[in-house]
Amino acid sequence: MQIQANVSLGAKLFLSRVLRNPRQLGAIAPSSRHLGELLARHAAVDNYSPIVELGGGTGSLTRAMIKAGIAPHRIYVIELDKALAHYLKETFPKAHVIHGNAAELENILPPHILGNVHRIVSGLPMINIPEEIRQQIIESCFKILSPEGALLQYTYSPCSSIKSNAYGLKKKRLGTVFLNIPPATVWQYRKC
Ligand SMILES: C[S@@+](CC[C@H](N)C(=O)[O-])C[C@H]1O[C@@H](n2cnc3c(N)ncnc32)[C@H](O)[C@@H]1O
């Protein structure tokens, strides 16, 4: 009930943050339910391991993961924008929302989950992020993932937004969602 009431508030907040910082938000609208469902399906690999979400925004992907049956206490949402992080904390009180930078995951996540994360779900606007920071984010992701873990990233381009070869990663296209504004393609990255 609380989550539903917060959805329209979220839409207004998303728009106001886009107008304030379009590059950091990197989208004209929150992800659709359909994109959330695809990501949630690939994030739910078991019933217990922590899932880290990068760039929570107004919670479209968090909402989809909870709806898909992932217990909120398993979800750690990282959001750089203070107002959005505050909104996420209020909307998803049982999830762990951290106001922080995805380039510093090993410093901002609780120590007991480091190395135990099987999936990272990223809504970060990778192509807007300078290469140096992007590198820090990707390295940080693979510091906290388990050896068999994977990073899931969506992009509005049909091509991968991460140069997998440069980071020693193998990539796999998980699908394209046309019912999203704009249509988005989801990629999975693992260590070679
Ligand atoms: C395109 S929005 C995605 C929002 C939501 N996940 C969705 O799919 O609708 C990108 C989000 O990433 C956040 N962001 C950008 N750079 C970040 C960083 N370095 N660390 C954490 N969050 C970041 C932005 O503030 C924004 O909320």
Side-chain angles (χ1 to χ4, degrees), residues 24-25 27 30-31 53 55-57 60-61 78-81 84 100-102 123-125 154:
Q24 186 179 307
L25 268 286
S31 295
E53 180 188 341
S60 308
L61 305 182
I78 314 299
E79 175 51 59
L80 191 58
D81 182 291
L84 290 172
N101 192 330
L124 296 178
Y154 69 80

Short mmCIF file of all heavy atoms in Angstrom, two decimals, residues 24-25 27 30-31 53 55-57 60-61 78-81 84 100-102 123-125 154, ligand 1:
data_model
loop_
_atom_site.label_atom_id
_atom_site.label_comp_id
_atom_site.label_asym_id
_atom_site.label_seq_id
_atom_site.Cartn_x
_atom_site.Cartn_y
_atom_site.Cartn_z
N GLN A 24 23.65 12.41 -14.72
CA GLN A 24 23.71 11.41 -13.64
C GLN A 24 22.50 10.48 -13.67
O GLN A 24 22.61 9.30 -13.42
CB GLN A 24 23.80 12.10 -12.27
CG GLN A 24 24.01 11.09 -11.13
CD GLN A 24 24.12 11.76 -9.78
OE1 GLN A 24 24.91 12.67 -9.59
NE2 GLN A 24 23.31 11.31 -8.84
N LEU A 25 21.32 11.04 -13.99
CA LEU A 25 20.13 10.20 -14.06
C LEU A 25 20.17 9.32 -15.31
O LEU A 25 19.88 8.14 -15.27
CB LEU A 25 18.87 11.07 -14.03
CG LEU A 25 18.26 11.33 -12.65
CD1 LEU A 25 17.55 10.08 -12.12
CD2 LEU A 25 19.26 11.81 -11.61
N ALA A 27 18.34 8.95 -17.92
CA ALA A 27 17.13 8.34 -18.47
C ALA A 27 16.03 9.38 -18.49
O ALA A 27 16.05 10.32 -17.69
CB ALA A 27 16.70 7.15 -17.62
N PRO A 30 11.70 6.27 -15.47
CA PRO A 30 12.14 5.07 -14.74
C PRO A 30 11.92 3.83 -15.61
O PRO A 30 11.10 3.84 -16.52
CB PRO A 30 11.21 5.04 -13.51
CG PRO A 30 10.63 6.41 -13.41
CD PRO A 30 10.60 6.97 -14.80
N SER A 31 12.64 2.76 -15.29
CA SER A 31 12.48 1.51 -16.05
C SER A 31 11.06 0.98 -15.94
O SER A 31 10.40 1.13 -14.91
CB SER A 31 13.43 0.45 -15.50
OG SER A 31 14.75 0.83 -15.72
N GLU A 53 21.88 -3.66 -5.90
CA GLU A 53 21.33 -2.88 -7.01
C GLU A 53 22.06 -1.54 -7.07
O GLU A 53 22.16 -0.84 -6.06
CB GLU A 53 19.82 -2.65 -6.79
CG GLU A 53 19.21 -1.85 -7.93
CD GLU A 53 17.76 -1.44 -7.65
OE1 GLU A 53 17.10 -2.02 -6.78
OE2 GLU A 53 17.33 -0.49 -8.33
N GLY A 55 22.33 2.29 -8.47
CA GLY A 55 21.53 3.37 -9.04
C GLY A 55 20.04 3.10 -8.90
O GLY A 55 19.34 2.87 -9.89
N GLY A 56 19.55 3.11 -7.68
CA GLY A 56 18.16 2.72 -7.41
C GLY A 56 17.13 3.65 -8.01
O GLY A 56 16.00 3.23 -8.30
N GLY A 57 17.48 4.93 -8.18
CA GLY A 57 16.52 5.89 -8.74
C GLY A 57 15.27 5.98 -7.86
O GLY A 57 15.37 6.19 -6.65
N SER A 60 12.18 1.39 -9.42
CA SER A 60 11.48 0.49 -10.36
C SER A 60 12.02 -0.94 -10.28
O SER A 60 11.25 -1.90 -10.29
CB SER A 60 11.67 0.95 -11.80
OG SER A 60 11.33 2.27 -11.92
N LEU A 61 13.35 -1.04 -10.23
CA LEU A 61 13.93 -2.40 -10.23
C LEU A 61 13.79 -3.04 -8.86
O LEU A 61 13.55 -4.25 -8.76
CB LEU A 61 15.41 -2.33 -10.67
CG LEU A 61 15.66 -1.66 -12.02
CD1 LEU A 61 17.14 -1.70 -12.39
CD2 LEU A 61 14.82 -2.31 -13.14
N ILE A 78 22.20 0.93 -3.85
CA ILE A 78 23.17 2.03 -3.76
C ILE A 78 22.67 3.18 -4.63
O ILE A 78 22.39 2.99 -5.83
CB ILE A 78 24.57 1.59 -4.31
CG1 ILE A 78 24.98 0.21 -3.76
CG2 ILE A 78 25.62 2.65 -4.02
CD1 ILE A 78 25.12 0.10 -2.29
N GLU A 79 22.56 4.36 -4.05
CA GLU A 79 22.07 5.52 -4.82
C GLU A 79 22.91 6.75 -4.44
O GLU A 79 23.05 7.08 -3.28
CB GLU A 79 20.58 5.74 -4.54
CG GLU A 79 19.98 6.98 -5.18
CD GLU A 79 20.25 7.13 -6.67
OE1 GLU A 79 19.88 6.25 -7.45
OE2 GLU A 79 20.88 8.15 -7.06
N LEU A 80 23.42 7.42 -5.47
CA LEU A 80 24.30 8.58 -5.29
C LEU A 80 23.54 9.85 -4.92
O LEU A 80 24.05 10.71 -4.21
CB LEU A 80 25.07 8.79 -6.61
CG LEU A 80 26.23 9.76 -6.64
CD1 LEU A 80 27.31 9.37 -5.62
CD2 LEU A 80 26.85 9.79 -8.04
N ASP A 81 22.32 9.97 -5.44
CA ASP A 81 21.53 11.19 -5.23
C ASP A 81 20.85 11.11 -3.83
O ASP A 81 20.11 10.18 -3.54
CB ASP A 81 20.47 11.28 -6.34
CG ASP A 81 19.63 12.53 -6.24
OD1 ASP A 81 18.82 12.64 -5.29
OD2 ASP A 81 19.77 13.39 -7.12
N LEU A 84 16.96 10.96 -3.75
CA LEU A 84 16.46 9.66 -4.21
C LEU A 84 16.73 8.58 -3.16
O LEU A 84 15.88 7.72 -2.91
CB LEU A 84 17.09 9.29 -5.56
CG LEU A 84 16.63 10.13 -6.76
CD1 LEU A 84 17.45 9.81 -8.01
CD2 LEU A 84 15.14 9.91 -7.04
N GLY A 100 25.36 6.39 -1.48
CA GLY A 100 26.79 6.29 -1.72
C GLY A 100 27.08 6.08 -3.19
O GLY A 100 26.18 6.06 -4.03
N ASN A 101 28.38 5.88 -3.46
CA ASN A 101 28.87 5.80 -4.83
C ASN A 101 29.17 4.35 -5.20
O ASN A 101 29.89 3.65 -4.47
CB ASN A 101 30.15 6.65 -4.94
CG ASN A 101 30.56 6.88 -6.36
OD1 ASN A 101 30.31 6.05 -7.24
ND2 ASN A 101 31.20 8.00 -6.60
N ALA A 102 28.65 3.93 -6.35
CA ALA A 102 28.85 2.55 -6.80
C ALA A 102 30.32 2.24 -7.10
O ALA A 102 30.68 1.08 -7.29
CB ALA A 102 28.02 2.30 -8.06
N GLY A 123 21.38 -0.18 -12.78
CA GLY A 123 20.61 0.78 -13.57
C GLY A 123 21.45 2.02 -13.83
O GLY A 123 20.91 3.07 -14.17
N LEU A 124 22.76 1.88 -13.66
CA LEU A 124 23.64 3.05 -13.84
C LEU A 124 23.70 3.44 -15.32
O LEU A 124 23.77 2.58 -16.19
CB LEU A 124 25.07 2.74 -13.37
CG LEU A 124 25.26 2.44 -11.89
CD1 LEU A 124 26.72 2.10 -11.62
CD2 LEU A 124 24.83 3.62 -11.04
N PRO A 125 23.72 4.75 -15.59
CA PRO A 125 23.85 5.20 -16.99
C PRO A 125 25.31 5.12 -17.43
O PRO A 125 26.00 6.13 -17.53
CB PRO A 125 23.34 6.65 -16.92
CG PRO A 125 23.62 7.09 -15.51
CD PRO A 125 23.61 5.88 -14.65
N TYR A 154 21.61 -2.97 -17.87
CA TYR A 154 20.81 -2.67 -19.06
C TYR A 154 21.34 -1.44 -19.76
O TYR A 154 22.01 -0.59 -19.16
CB TYR A 154 19.31 -2.54 -18.74
CG TYR A 154 18.90 -1.33 -17.94
CD1 TYR A 154 18.74 -0.09 -18.54
CD2 TYR A 154 18.63 -1.43 -16.58
CE1 TYR A 154 18.35 1.02 -17.81
CE2 TYR A 154 18.23 -0.33 -15.84
CZ TYR A 154 18.09 0.90 -16.46
OH TYR A 154 17.71 2.00 -15.74
C1 LIG B 1 18.72 5.63 -15.13
S1 LIG B 1 18.52 5.92 -13.41
C2 LIG B 1 17.95 4.27 -13.01
C3 LIG B 1 16.92 4.26 -11.94
C4 LIG B 1 16.25 2.91 -11.72
N1 LIG B 1 17.19 1.88 -11.35
C5 LIG B 1 15.48 2.47 -12.94
O1 LIG B 1 15.95 1.54 -13.63
O2 LIG B 1 14.45 3.07 -13.24
C6 LIG B 1 20.22 5.92 -12.87
C7 LIG B 1 20.40 6.10 -11.37
O3 LIG B 1 21.79 5.89 -11.06
C8 LIG B 1 22.18 6.83 -10.08
N2 LIG B 1 23.66 6.95 -10.15
C9 LIG B 1 24.40 7.51 -11.13
N3 LIG B 1 25.72 7.39 -10.85
C10 LIG B 1 25.80 6.69 -9.69
C11 LIG B 1 26.88 6.20 -8.89
N4 LIG B 1 28.16 6.42 -9.25
N5 LIG B 1 26.60 5.52 -7.77
C12 LIG B 1 25.31 5.27 -7.39
N6 LIG B 1 24.25 5.71 -8.09
C13 LIG B 1 24.48 6.39 -9.23
C14 LIG B 1 21.43 8.10 -10.49
O4 LIG B 1 21.36 9.04 -9.43
C15 LIG B 1 20.08 7.52 -10.90
O5 LIG B 1 19.21 7.44 -9.81
#
